[in-house]
Amino acid sequence: MAMFEAFIALLIAGASFSVASILAYIPMQAPPYGFGLINARYDITDLFYGNATLHRCISASQYTGSCGTMIKNIISIYGLTGMAVDNDGNVSIYGNETCVEHENFCLVDNKNMGYRLSCLSLCGA
Protein backbone atom coordinates (compact mmCIF):
# COMPACT_ATOMS: atom_id res chain seq x y z
CA MET A 1 0.00 0.00 0.00
CA ALA A 2 2.83 2.39 0.84
CA MET A 3 4.35 1.73 -2.58
CA PHE A 4 1.04 2.61 -4.25
CA GLU A 5 0.82 5.92 -2.29
CA ALA A 6 4.40 6.81 -3.27
CA PHE A 7 3.58 6.10 -6.92
CA ILE A 8 0.47 8.32 -6.82
CA ALA A 9 2.42 11.13 -5.12
CA LEU A 10 5.12 10.88 -7.80
CA LEU A 11 2.49 11.11 -10.56
CA ILE A 12 0.89 14.17 -8.95
CA ALA A 13 4.27 15.89 -8.50
CA GLY A 14 5.30 15.12 -12.09
CA ALA A 15 2.01 16.41 -13.47
CA SER A 16 2.30 19.58 -11.37
CA PHE A 17 5.81 20.30 -12.68
CA SER A 18 4.66 19.69 -16.26
CA VAL A 19 1.74 22.09 -15.95
CA ALA A 20 3.94 24.73 -14.28
CA SER A 21 6.58 24.49 -17.01
CA ILE A 22 3.98 24.78 -19.78
CA LEU A 23 2.44 27.85 -18.14
CA ALA A 24 5.89 29.44 -17.84
CA TYR A 25 6.76 28.62 -21.47
CA ILE A 26 3.64 30.03 -23.17
CA PRO A 27 4.20 33.74 -22.34
CA MET A 28 7.79 33.51 -23.56
CA GLN A 29 6.54 32.68 -27.06
CA ALA A 30 4.77 36.03 -27.54
CA PRO A 31 6.86 39.12 -28.27
CA PRO A 32 7.13 41.47 -25.30
CA TYR A 33 4.88 44.51 -25.16
CA GLY A 34 6.26 47.38 -27.21
CA PHE A 35 9.09 45.34 -28.75
CA GLY A 36 8.93 47.30 -32.04
CA LEU A 37 8.93 50.61 -30.18
CA ILE A 38 11.96 49.60 -28.14
CA ASN A 39 13.81 48.59 -31.33
CA ALA A 40 12.87 51.90 -32.95
CA ARG A 41 14.08 53.83 -29.90
CA TYR A 42 17.41 52.03 -29.87
CA ASP A 43 18.03 52.48 -33.60
CA ILE A 44 16.90 56.11 -33.72
CA THR A 45 19.17 56.92 -30.77
CA ASP A 46 22.10 55.20 -32.48
CA LEU A 47 21.42 57.03 -35.76
CA PHE A 48 20.91 60.39 -34.03
CA TYR A 49 24.43 60.31 -32.66
CA GLY A 50 26.04 58.57 -35.66
CA ASN A 51 24.26 59.99 -38.70
CA ALA A 52 24.54 63.72 -39.37
CA THR A 53 21.53 63.75 -41.72
CA LEU A 54 19.14 62.17 -39.22
CA HIS A 55 20.59 64.38 -36.47
CA ARG A 56 19.82 67.47 -38.56
CA CYS A 57 16.34 66.20 -39.38
CA ILE A 58 15.40 65.45 -35.78
CA SER A 59 16.91 68.72 -34.57
CA ALA A 60 15.03 70.71 -37.22
CA SER A 61 11.85 72.50 -36.31
CA GLN A 62 9.88 71.28 -39.36
CA TYR A 63 10.24 68.18 -41.53
CA THR A 64 10.46 69.27 -45.15
CA GLY A 65 11.97 67.73 -48.27
CA SER A 66 14.35 64.84 -47.62
CA CYS A 67 13.81 65.06 -43.84
CA GLY A 68 10.10 64.41 -44.27
CA THR A 69 10.90 61.39 -46.45
CA MET A 70 13.44 60.09 -43.91
CA ILE A 71 10.99 60.39 -41.00
CA LYS A 72 8.24 58.79 -43.12
CA ASN A 73 10.58 55.87 -43.91
CA ILE A 74 11.46 55.40 -40.21
CA ILE A 75 7.76 55.31 -39.34
CA SER A 76 7.11 52.76 -42.09
CA ILE A 77 10.10 50.51 -41.31
CA TYR A 78 9.25 50.15 -37.62
CA GLY A 79 5.49 49.93 -38.12
CA LEU A 80 4.84 53.12 -36.17
CA THR A 81 1.69 55.16 -36.63
CA GLY A 82 3.33 58.47 -35.80
CA MET A 83 6.21 60.36 -34.30
CA ALA A 84 6.40 63.65 -32.44
CA VAL A 85 9.58 65.64 -31.79
CA ASP A 86 9.86 68.42 -29.22
CA ASN A 87 12.83 70.76 -29.65
CA ASP A 88 12.73 73.36 -26.88
CA GLY A 89 8.94 73.61 -27.01
CA ASN A 90 8.75 73.57 -30.80
CA VAL A 91 6.76 70.39 -31.48
CA SER A 92 6.65 68.72 -34.88
CA ILE A 93 4.24 65.83 -35.45
CA TYR A 94 4.41 63.39 -38.31
CA GLY A 95 1.74 60.76 -38.79
CA ASN A 96 -0.99 59.87 -36.31
CA GLU A 97 -0.45 60.39 -32.57
CA THR A 98 -3.57 58.47 -31.52
CA CYS A 99 -2.37 55.07 -30.34
CA VAL A 100 -2.21 52.63 -27.46
CA GLU A 101 1.58 52.22 -27.15
CA HIS A 102 3.98 55.14 -26.65
CA GLU A 103 7.74 55.21 -26.29
CA ASN A 104 8.98 58.57 -25.00
CA PHE A 105 12.65 59.49 -24.72
CA CYS A 106 15.01 62.46 -25.03
CA LEU A 107 18.31 62.84 -26.83
CA VAL A 108 20.98 65.34 -25.80
CA ASP A 109 21.96 67.55 -28.73
CA ASN A 110 25.49 68.71 -28.03
CA LYS A 111 26.21 70.22 -31.44
CA ASN A 112 26.95 73.91 -32.11
CA MET A 113 28.71 74.56 -28.79
CA GLY A 114 25.60 74.16 -26.68
CA TYR A 115 23.31 71.59 -25.16
CA ARG A 116 19.61 71.11 -25.70
CA LEU A 117 17.15 68.24 -25.68
CA SER A 118 15.31 66.70 -28.59
CA CYS A 119 12.48 64.68 -27.05
CA LEU A 120 10.70 62.10 -29.17
CA SER A 121 7.40 60.34 -28.74
CA LEU A 122 6.98 57.23 -30.89
CA CYS A 123 3.47 55.99 -31.41
CA GLY A 124 2.88 52.28 -32.02
CA ALA A 125 -0.15 50.53 -33.37
Side-chain angles (χ1 to χ4, degrees):
M1 190 62 143
M3 192 70 146
F4 180 71
E5 289 176 2
F7 180 72
I8 295 296
L10 185 62
L11 284 178
I12 291 172
S16 298
F17 285 128
S18 295
V19 169
S21 64
I22 289 171
L23 292 176
Y25 178 75
I26 290 172
M28 294 175 67
Q29 298 308 305
Y33 178 79
F35 186 71
L37 291 175
I38 294 168
N39 278 343
R41 176 184 179 167
Y42 176 81
D43 289 344
I44 289 169
T45 301
D46 189 47
L47 288 171
F48 180 79
Y49 293 113
N51 183 310
T53 304
L54 183 64
H55 185 278
R56 181 182 49 80
C57 287
I58 288 178
S59 298
S61 59
Q62 295 294 322
Y63 303 128
T64 57
S66 63
C67 286
T69 303
M70 183 179 279
I71 299 298
K72 182 178 178 182
N73 288 339
I74 288 172
I75 289 171
S76 174
I77 288 168
Y78 291 101
L80 306 174
T81 59
M83 178 178 184
V85 180
D86 182 350
N87 288 311
D88 296 328
N90 189 4
V91 180
S92 300
I93 297 175
Y94 195 89
N96 185 2
E97 275 293 296
T98 305
C99 59
V100 175
E101 297 181 38
H102 281 277
E103 183 70 24
N104 302 313
F105 60 102
C106 293
L107 304 166
V108 177
D109 184 359
N110 59 355
K111 303 271 185 197
N112 301 323
M113 298 177 64
Y115 291 93
R116 69 179 206 180
L117 289 177
S118 293
C119 295
L120 285 79
S121 175
L122 306 178
C123 190

